[in-house]
Amino acid sequence: MALIQTTDSCAEDETVCNTVFDLTNNQTAANIADLIIGKPLAITGLVVLAVVIRWMLHKVVNRLVAGAEDGVLPQQVGRALRRGPVAPPTASELIASTRRVQRAKTIGDLFKSIITGVIVAVFGTMILSELGVNIAPIIASAGILGLALGFGAQSLVRDFLSGVFMIVEDQYGVGDVVDVGEASGTVEAVSLRITRLRDLNGTVWYVPNGEIMRVGNMSQNWSRAVVDVSVGYGEDLARVQNVLREIAHDLWQDDEFRTVIIEEPEVTGVEALAADAVTLRVLIKTSPLEQWAVAREMRQRIKSRFDHEGIEIPFAQRVVWHREENAAQGGADAHEGTEPGDVSEHDAVDSGGQHRR
């Protein structure tokens, strides 16, 4: 039994075999040379090509990871908008930066593992083909397996891909306050398949990443406090706007809020004309997650200043008419010079339960 099986002639793509046959005119020597030199040389070339492709793709992944570590809008953008010299990063910014770096590295390692697995599968099949193994059943089996997985795990694949892109694009992370449509709240955990949120009532929501059609992030880079103030129609709007500007400027200059408010607040003017009030709006750009505290402080200062300035903040009122149908009341009304059914000044009360005079 022969230890080495050789073919009777060289194939067109067997360069070493054809070269040796042209030099020696010996088919056996050509086949042996192709087996000893040609096959190892082809396999070595495939291995080198696989290593080069893997290195290049890993370099691309590293660049993507480096970009994801900085975020879509770097934290320095928000800090650069503040007045004066650039302050050192706050604790929340450091936590967010660390979280983003860890997530970027995690998704980078995942991409590298996928790239390595695909390259090994493709070039491994090509090497088996060079060794004379029939790869047709392998390719057919891989196709059938891929179809089965595709039909059986469509939602899982969609969740996985959505999670990958969400992490790469840094749409949100742990600690962010987001609105994902059906649920909104603080992000507690993020994985490649689901996102876990806790809303204001304490309810925990598990949202599959593939079901998230849009994301509203209320705590990325900077936020804005929107304060609407209603005043009566009888007030001087120019004076009211000047008072609001003074209140907002004092808040902007306050040492407690100096590192929280990014830009000087803006009074935009009249926003709406309601049935019983005129609404004015104040806009305050703040650091992430600070807009609610700033808005509460602004409203408290507005109430105190308006009380001091005598500016009316209107509230809904109602008038209740009391009618007495008995004869005794009618006689008393007639004695006082009023007609039955008329209302005295003591009969009109507002919603607070006090008599209007």
PDB file of all heavy atoms in Angstrom, residues 277-305:
ATOM      1  N   ALA A 277     -54.679  84.225  32.565  1.00  0.00           N
ATOM      2  CA  ALA A 277     -53.293  84.527  32.900  1.00  0.00           C
ATOM      3  C   ALA A 277     -52.459  84.683  31.634  1.00  0.00           C
ATOM      4  O   ALA A 277     -52.825  84.185  30.556  1.00  0.00           O
ATOM      5  CB  ALA A 277     -52.709  83.422  33.774  1.00  0.00           C
ATOM      6  N   VAL A 278     -51.335  85.379  31.800  1.00  0.00           N
ATOM      7  CA  VAL A 278     -50.317  85.497  30.753  1.00  0.00           C
ATOM      8  C   VAL A 278     -49.110  84.689  31.209  1.00  0.00           C
ATOM      9  O   VAL A 278     -48.627  84.867  32.335  1.00  0.00           O
ATOM     10  CB  VAL A 278     -49.924  86.964  30.508  1.00  0.00           C
ATOM     11  CG1 VAL A 278     -48.848  87.061  29.429  1.00  0.00           C
ATOM     12  CG2 VAL A 278     -51.135  87.792  30.130  1.00  0.00           C
ATOM     13  N   THR A 279     -48.617  83.780  30.352  1.00  0.00           N
ATOM     14  CA  THR A 279     -47.525  82.876  30.712  1.00  0.00           C
ATOM     15  C   THR A 279     -46.225  83.353  30.088  1.00  0.00           C
ATOM     16  O   THR A 279     -46.158  83.572  28.876  1.00  0.00           O
ATOM     17  CB  THR A 279     -47.835  81.440  30.253  1.00  0.00           C
ATOM     18  OG1 THR A 279     -49.056  81.012  30.855  1.00  0.00           O
ATOM     19  CG2 THR A 279     -46.720  80.495  30.667  1.00  0.00           C
ATOM     20  N   LEU A 280     -45.196  83.511  30.920  1.00  0.00           N
ATOM     21  CA  LEU A 280     -43.854  83.842  30.464  1.00  0.00           C
ATOM     22  C   LEU A 280     -42.929  82.670  30.768  1.00  0.00           C
ATOM     23  O   LEU A 280     -43.171  81.877  31.695  1.00  0.00           O
ATOM     24  CB  LEU A 280     -43.329  85.110  31.140  1.00  0.00           C
ATOM     25  CG  LEU A 280     -44.110  86.392  30.845  1.00  0.00           C
ATOM     26  CD1 LEU A 280     -45.180  86.621  31.913  1.00  0.00           C
ATOM     27  CD2 LEU A 280     -43.187  87.594  30.762  1.00  0.00           C
ATOM     28  N   ARG A 281     -41.854  82.555  30.003  1.00  0.00           N
ATOM     29  CA  ARG A 281     -40.963  81.383  30.122  1.00  0.00           C
ATOM     30  C   ARG A 281     -39.529  81.821  30.400  1.00  0.00           C
ATOM     31  O   ARG A 281     -39.033  82.795  29.814  1.00  0.00           O
ATOM     32  CB  ARG A 281     -41.014  80.544  28.852  1.00  0.00           C
ATOM     33  CG  ARG A 281     -40.040  79.373  28.818  1.00  0.00           C
ATOM     34  CD  ARG A 281     -40.401  78.402  27.720  1.00  0.00           C
ATOM     35  NE  ARG A 281     -41.671  77.730  28.014  1.00  0.00           N
ATOM     36  CZ  ARG A 281     -42.236  76.848  27.180  1.00  0.00           C
ATOM     37  NH1 ARG A 281     -41.668  76.557  26.027  1.00  0.00           N
ATOM     38  NH2 ARG A 281     -43.382  76.265  27.515  1.00  0.00           N
ATOM     39  N   VAL A 282     -38.866  81.047  31.282  1.00  0.00           N
ATOM     40  CA  VAL A 282     -37.452  81.233  31.606  1.00  0.00           C
ATOM     41  C   VAL A 282     -36.725  79.939  31.270  1.00  0.00           C
ATOM     42  O   VAL A 282     -37.162  78.850  31.682  1.00  0.00           O
ATOM     43  CB  VAL A 282     -37.258  81.596  33.089  1.00  0.00           C
ATOM     44  CG1 VAL A 282     -35.775  81.839  33.386  1.00  0.00           C
ATOM     45  CG2 VAL A 282     -38.084  82.812  33.465  1.00  0.00           C
ATOM     46  N   LEU A 283     -35.610  80.034  30.529  1.00  0.00           N
ATOM     47  CA  LEU A 283     -34.803  78.886  30.139  1.00  0.00           C
ATOM     48  C   LEU A 283     -33.459  78.945  30.843  1.00  0.00           C
ATOM     49  O   LEU A 283     -32.780  79.979  30.808  1.00  0.00           O
ATOM     50  CB  LEU A 283     -34.604  78.849  28.623  1.00  0.00           C
ATOM     51  CG  LEU A 283     -35.870  78.778  27.760  1.00  0.00           C
ATOM     52  CD1 LEU A 283     -35.500  78.775  26.287  1.00  0.00           C
ATOM     53  CD2 LEU A 283     -36.689  77.546  28.101  1.00  0.00           C
ATOM     54  N   ILE A 284     -33.057  77.824  31.463  1.00  0.00           N
ATOM     55  CA  ILE A 284     -31.799  77.767  32.213  1.00  0.00           C
ATOM     56  C   ILE A 284     -31.054  76.502  31.795  1.00  0.00           C
ATOM     57  O   ILE A 284     -31.547  75.389  32.019  1.00  0.00           O
ATOM     58  CB  ILE A 284     -32.043  77.759  33.735  1.00  0.00           C
ATOM     59  CG1 ILE A 284     -32.982  78.903  34.143  1.00  0.00           C
ATOM     60  CG2 ILE A 284     -30.729  77.854  34.489  1.00  0.00           C
ATOM     61  CD1 ILE A 284     -33.398  78.856  35.598  1.00  0.00           C
ATOM     62  N   LYS A 285     -29.886  76.657  31.187  1.00  0.00           N
ATOM     63  CA  LYS A 285     -29.071  75.503  30.795  1.00  0.00           C
ATOM     64  C   LYS A 285     -28.237  75.045  31.993  1.00  0.00           C
ATOM     65  O   LYS A 285     -27.524  75.843  32.611  1.00  0.00           O
ATOM     66  CB  LYS A 285     -28.162  75.857  29.623  1.00  0.00           C
ATOM     67  CG  LYS A 285     -27.343  74.671  29.120  1.00  0.00           C
ATOM     68  CD  LYS A 285     -26.474  75.038  27.935  1.00  0.00           C
ATOM     69  CE  LYS A 285     -27.300  75.219  26.679  1.00  0.00           C
ATOM     70  NZ  LYS A 285     -26.443  75.390  25.488  1.00  0.00           N
ATOM     71  N   THR A 286     -28.311  73.747  32.305  1.00  0.00           N
ATOM     72  CA  THR A 286     -27.679  73.216  33.506  1.00  0.00           C
ATOM     73  C   THR A 286     -26.827  71.995  33.171  1.00  0.00           C
ATOM     74  O   THR A 286     -26.843  71.486  32.051  1.00  0.00           O
ATOM     75  CB  THR A 286     -28.736  72.816  34.539  1.00  0.00           C
ATOM     76  OG1 THR A 286     -29.458  71.664  34.068  1.00  0.00           O
ATOM     77  CG2 THR A 286     -29.712  73.947  34.792  1.00  0.00           C
ATOM     78  N   SER A 287     -26.113  71.540  34.174  1.00  0.00           N
ATOM     79  CA  SER A 287     -25.391  70.275  34.059  1.00  0.00           C
ATOM     80  C   SER A 287     -26.389  69.123  34.021  1.00  0.00           C
ATOM     81  O   SER A 287     -27.555  69.288  34.414  1.00  0.00           O
ATOM     82  CB  SER A 287     -24.433  70.107  35.243  1.00  0.00           C
ATOM     83  OG  SER A 287     -23.492  71.156  35.279  1.00  0.00           O
ATOM     84  N   PRO A 288     -25.979  67.956  33.560  1.00  0.00           N
ATOM     85  CA  PRO A 288     -26.904  66.819  33.489  1.00  0.00           C
ATOM     86  C   PRO A 288     -27.528  66.488  34.837  1.00  0.00           C
ATOM     87  O   PRO A 288     -26.864  66.531  35.873  1.00  0.00           O
ATOM     88  CB  PRO A 288     -26.016  65.675  32.978  1.00  0.00           C
ATOM     89  CG  PRO A 288     -24.903  66.348  32.265  1.00  0.00           C
ATOM     90  CD  PRO A 288     -24.658  67.633  33.000  1.00  0.00           C
ATOM     91  N   LEU A 289     -28.829  66.216  34.806  1.00  0.00           N
ATOM     92  CA  LEU A 289     -29.613  65.793  35.972  1.00  0.00           C
ATOM     93  C   LEU A 289     -29.784  66.881  37.026  1.00  0.00           C
ATOM     94  O   LEU A 289     -30.276  66.602  38.124  1.00  0.00           O
ATOM     95  CB  LEU A 289     -28.985  64.546  36.623  1.00  0.00           C
ATOM     96  CG  LEU A 289     -28.911  63.292  35.759  1.00  0.00           C
ATOM     97  CD1 LEU A 289     -28.220  62.176  36.522  1.00  0.00           C
ATOM     98  CD2 LEU A 289     -30.286  62.858  35.318  1.00  0.00           C
ATOM     99  N   GLU A 290     -29.397  68.122  36.718  1.00  0.00           N
ATOM    100  CA  GLU A 290     -29.541  69.214  37.678  1.00  0.00           C
ATOM    101  C   GLU A 290     -30.710  70.132  37.336  1.00  0.00           C
ATOM    102  O   GLU A 290     -30.987  71.079  38.069  1.00  0.00           O
ATOM    103  CB  GLU A 290     -28.251  70.045  37.736  1.00  0.00           C
ATOM    104  CG  GLU A 290     -27.031  69.277  38.198  1.00  0.00           C
ATOM    105  CD  GLU A 290     -27.115  68.887  39.653  1.00  0.00           C
ATOM    106  OE1 GLU A 290     -27.925  69.489  40.387  1.00  0.00           O
ATOM    107  OE2 GLU A 290     -26.377  67.972  40.069  1.00  0.00           O
ATOM    108  N   GLN A 291     -31.398  69.886  36.214  1.00  0.00           N
ATOM    109  CA  GLN A 291     -32.431  70.812  35.770  1.00  0.00           C
ATOM    110  C   GLN A 291     -33.610  70.873  36.729  1.00  0.00           C
ATOM    111  O   GLN A 291     -34.231  71.936  36.902  1.00  0.00           O
ATOM    112  CB  GLN A 291     -32.910  70.457  34.354  1.00  0.00           C
ATOM    113  CG  GLN A 291     -33.633  69.123  34.216  1.00  0.00           C
ATOM    114  CD  GLN A 291     -32.691  67.986  33.895  1.00  0.00           C
ATOM    115  OE1 GLN A 291     -31.539  67.975  34.323  1.00  0.00           O
ATOM    116  NE2 GLN A 291     -33.171  67.008  33.116  1.00  0.00           N
ATOM    117  N   TRP A 292     -33.942  69.763  37.385  1.00  0.00           N
ATOM    118  CA  TRP A 292     -35.113  69.758  38.261  1.00  0.00           C
ATOM    119  C   TRP A 292     -34.837  70.541  39.548  1.00  0.00           C
ATOM    120  O   TRP A 292     -35.689  71.311  40.000  1.00  0.00           O
ATOM    121  CB  TRP A 292     -35.516  68.320  38.566  1.00  0.00           C
ATOM    122  CG  TRP A 292     -35.899  67.574  37.333  1.00  0.00           C
ATOM    123  CD1 TRP A 292     -37.007  67.780  36.547  1.00  0.00           C
ATOM    124  CD2 TRP A 292     -35.160  66.513  36.714  1.00  0.00           C
ATOM    125  NE1 TRP A 292     -37.004  66.913  35.483  1.00  0.00           N
ATOM    126  CE2 TRP A 292     -35.901  66.118  35.551  1.00  0.00           C
ATOM    127  CE3 TRP A 292     -33.984  65.850  36.999  1.00  0.00           C
ATOM    128  CZ2 TRP A 292     -35.462  65.108  34.706  1.00  0.00           C
ATOM    129  CZ3 TRP A 292     -33.546  64.830  36.161  1.00  0.00           C
ATOM    130  CH2 TRP A 292     -34.284  64.472  35.027  1.00  0.00           C
ATOM    131  N   ALA A 293     -33.659  70.377  40.123  1.00  0.00           N
ATOM    132  CA  ALA A 293     -33.316  71.132  41.337  1.00  0.00           C
ATOM    133  C   ALA A 293     -33.240  72.629  41.044  1.00  0.00           C
ATOM    134  O   ALA A 293     -33.712  73.457  41.836  1.00  0.00           O
ATOM    135  CB  ALA A 293     -31.997  70.623  41.916  1.00  0.00           C
ATOM    136  N   VAL A 294     -32.671  72.998  39.908  1.00  0.00           N
ATOM    137  CA  VAL A 294     -32.571  74.405  39.537  1.00  0.00           C
ATOM    138  C   VAL A 294     -33.965  74.993  39.308  1.00  0.00           C
ATOM    139  O   VAL A 294     -34.258  76.118  39.725  1.00  0.00           O
ATOM    140  CB  VAL A 294     -31.691  74.564  38.285  1.00  0.00           C
ATOM    141  CG1 VAL A 294     -31.742  75.994  37.760  1.00  0.00           C
ATOM    142  CG2 VAL A 294     -30.246  74.178  38.599  1.00  0.00           C
ATOM    143  N   ALA A 295     -34.843  74.249  38.640  1.00  0.00           N
ATOM    144  CA  ALA A 295     -36.203  74.741  38.391  1.00  0.00           C
ATOM    145  C   ALA A 295     -36.962  74.951  39.702  1.00  0.00           C
ATOM    146  O   ALA A 295     -37.694  75.945  39.863  1.00  0.00           O
ATOM    147  CB  ALA A 295     -36.950  73.770  37.481  1.00  0.00           C
ATOM    148  N   ARG A 296     -36.811  74.039  40.653  1.00  0.00           N
ATOM    149  CA  ARG A 296     -37.496  74.200  41.942  1.00  0.00           C
ATOM    150  C   ARG A 296     -36.998  75.445  42.678  1.00  0.00           C
ATOM    151  O   ARG A 296     -37.786  76.203  43.252  1.00  0.00           O
ATOM    152  CB  ARG A 296     -37.292  72.945  42.795  1.00  0.00           C
ATOM    153  CG  ARG A 296     -38.124  71.746  42.339  1.00  0.00           C
ATOM    154  CD  ARG A 296     -38.075  70.639  43.368  1.00  0.00           C
ATOM    155  NE  ARG A 296     -36.754  70.035  43.446  1.00  0.00           N
ATOM    156  CZ  ARG A 296     -36.371  68.963  42.757  1.00  0.00           C
ATOM    157  NH1 ARG A 296     -37.232  68.383  41.925  1.00  0.00           N
ATOM    158  NH2 ARG A 296     -35.161  68.456  42.890  1.00  0.00           N
ATOM    159  N   GLU A 297     -35.690  75.661  42.677  1.00  0.00           N
ATOM    160  CA  GLU A 297     -35.137  76.843  43.338  1.00  0.00           C
ATOM    161  C   GLU A 297     -35.604  78.120  42.637  1.00  0.00           C
ATOM    162  O   GLU A 297     -35.913  79.121  43.294  1.00  0.00           O
ATOM    163  CB  GLU A 297     -33.612  76.756  43.320  1.00  0.00           C
ATOM    164  CG  GLU A 297     -32.900  77.941  43.944  1.00  0.00           C
ATOM    165  CD  GLU A 297     -33.137  78.068  45.439  1.00  0.00           C
ATOM    166  OE1 GLU A 297     -33.509  77.040  46.061  1.00  0.00           O
ATOM    167  OE2 GLU A 297     -32.946  79.173  45.971  1.00  0.00           O
ATOM    168  N   MET A 298     -35.663  78.091  41.317  1.00  0.00           N
ATOM    169  CA  MET A 298     -36.101  79.261  40.561  1.00  0.00           C
ATOM    170  C   MET A 298     -37.555  79.594  40.893  1.00  0.00           C
ATOM    171  O   MET A 298     -37.905  80.774  41.095  1.00  0.00           O
ATOM    172  CB  MET A 298     -35.930  78.999  39.066  1.00  0.00           C
ATOM    173  CG  MET A 298     -36.280  80.171  38.169  1.00  0.00           C
ATOM    174  SD  MET A 298     -35.133  81.549  38.390  1.00  0.00           S
ATOM    175  CE  MET A 298     -35.854  82.751  37.283  1.00  0.00           C
ATOM    176  N   ARG A 299     -38.427  78.613  40.959  1.00  0.00           N
ATOM    177  CA  ARG A 299     -39.834  78.863  41.275  1.00  0.00           C
ATOM    178  C   ARG A 299     -39.988  79.430  42.688  1.00  0.00           C
ATOM    179  O   ARG A 299     -40.815  80.324  42.927  1.00  0.00           O
ATOM    180  CB  ARG A 299     -40.645  77.579  41.130  1.00  0.00           C
ATOM    181  CG  ARG A 299     -40.724  77.049  39.698  1.00  0.00           C
ATOM    182  CD  ARG A 299     -41.699  75.890  39.592  1.00  0.00           C
ATOM    183  NE  ARG A 299     -41.661  75.301  38.270  1.00  0.00           N
ATOM    184  CZ  ARG A 299     -40.986  74.183  37.972  1.00  0.00           C
ATOM    185  NH1 ARG A 299     -40.302  73.531  38.925  1.00  0.00           N
ATOM    186  NH2 ARG A 299     -40.992  73.700  36.749  1.00  0.00           N
ATOM    187  N   GLN A 300     -39.207  78.895  43.619  1.00  0.00           N
ATOM    188  CA  GLN A 300     -39.294  79.398  44.988  1.00  0.00           C
ATOM    189  C   GLN A 300     -38.881  80.868  45.056  1.00  0.00           C
ATOM    190  O   GLN A 300     -39.537  81.687  45.719  1.00  0.00           O
ATOM    191  CB  GLN A 300     -38.404  78.559  45.904  1.00  0.00           C
ATOM    192  CG  GLN A 300     -38.438  78.999  47.354  1.00  0.00           C
ATOM    193  CD  GLN A 300     -37.642  78.073  48.252  1.00  0.00           C
ATOM    194  OE1 GLN A 300     -37.339  76.952  47.881  1.00  0.00           O
ATOM    195  NE2 GLN A 300     -37.316  78.544  49.444  1.00  0.00           N
ATOM    196  N   ARG A 301     -37.831  81.236  44.356  1.00  0.00           N
ATOM    197  CA  ARG A 301     -37.381  82.629  44.354  1.00  0.00           C
ATOM    198  C   ARG A 301     -38.381  83.533  43.638  1.00  0.00           C
ATOM    199  O   ARG A 301     -38.577  84.693  44.044  1.00  0.00           O
ATOM    200  CB  ARG A 301     -36.005  82.726  43.693  1.00  0.00           C
ATOM    201  CG  ARG A 301     -34.908  81.984  44.450  1.00  0.00           C
ATOM    202  CD  ARG A 301     -33.542  82.326  43.927  1.00  0.00           C
ATOM    203  NE  ARG A 301     -32.493  81.629  44.665  1.00  0.00           N
ATOM    204  CZ  ARG A 301     -31.218  82.003  44.684  1.00  0.00           C
ATOM    205  NH1 ARG A 301     -30.835  83.070  43.987  1.00  0.00           N
ATOM    206  NH2 ARG A 301     -30.326  81.323  45.377  1.00  0.00           N
ATOM    207  N   ILE A 302     -38.985  83.029  42.584  1.00  0.00           N
ATOM    208  CA  ILE A 302     -39.996  83.828  41.875  1.00  0.00           C
ATOM    209  C   ILE A 302     -41.181  84.120  42.792  1.00  0.00           C
ATOM    210  O   ILE A 302     -41.683  85.264  42.847  1.00  0.00           O
ATOM    211  CB  ILE A 302     -40.450  83.099  40.595  1.00  0.00           C
ATOM    212  CG1 ILE A 302     -39.319  83.103  39.549  1.00  0.00           C
ATOM    213  CG2 ILE A 302     -41.706  83.738  40.014  1.00  0.00           C
ATOM    214  CD1 ILE A 302     -39.627  82.272  38.318  1.00  0.00           C
ATOM    215  N   LYS A 303     -41.636  83.113  43.529  1.00  0.00           N
ATOM    216  CA  LYS A 303     -42.782  83.326  44.440  1.00  0.00           C
ATOM    217  C   LYS A 303     -42.441  84.373  45.492  1.00  0.00           C
ATOM    218  O   LYS A 303     -43.237  85.295  45.755  1.00  0.00           O
ATOM    219  CB  LYS A 303     -43.140  81.992  45.109  1.00  0.00           C
ATOM    220  CG  LYS A 303     -44.236  82.083  46.170  1.00  0.00           C
ATOM    221  CD  LYS A 303     -45.549  82.511  45.566  1.00  0.00           C
ATOM    222  CE  LYS A 303     -46.698  82.344  46.546  1.00  0.00           C
ATOM    223  NZ  LYS A 303     -46.538  83.148  47.781  1.00  0.00           N
ATOM    224  N   SER A 304     -41.268  84.293  46.090  1.00  0.00           N
ATOM    225  CA  SER A 304     -40.900  85.254  47.127  1.00  0.00           C
ATOM    226  C   SER A 304     -40.758  86.661  46.554  1.00  0.00           C
ATOM    227  O   SER A 304     -41.244  87.642  47.145  1.00  0.00           O
ATOM    228  CB  SER A 304     -39.584  84.820  47.792  1.00  0.00           C
ATOM    229  OG  SER A 304     -39.713  83.559  48.394  1.00  0.00           O
ATOM    230  N   ARG A 305     -40.137  86.771  45.391  1.00  0.00           N
ATOM    231  CA  ARG A 305     -39.916  88.097  44.807  1.00  0.00           C
ATOM    232  C   ARG A 305     -41.244  88.714  44.332  1.00  0.00           C
ATOM    233  O   ARG A 305     -41.466  89.921  44.488  1.00  0.00           O
ATOM    234  CB  ARG A 305     -38.940  87.981  43.651  1.00  0.00           C
ATOM    235  CG  ARG A 305     -38.611  89.306  42.978  1.00  0.00           C
ATOM    236  CD  ARG A 305     -37.839  90.234  43.901  1.00  0.00           C
ATOM    237  NE  ARG A 305     -37.524  91.478  43.227  1.00  0.00           N
ATOM    238  CZ  ARG A 305     -36.466  91.655  42.423  1.00  0.00           C
ATOM    239  NH1 ARG A 305     -35.614  90.636  42.215  1.00  0.00           N
ATOM    240  NH2 ARG A 305     -36.234  92.814  41.855  1.00  0.00           N
TER     241      ARG A 305
END
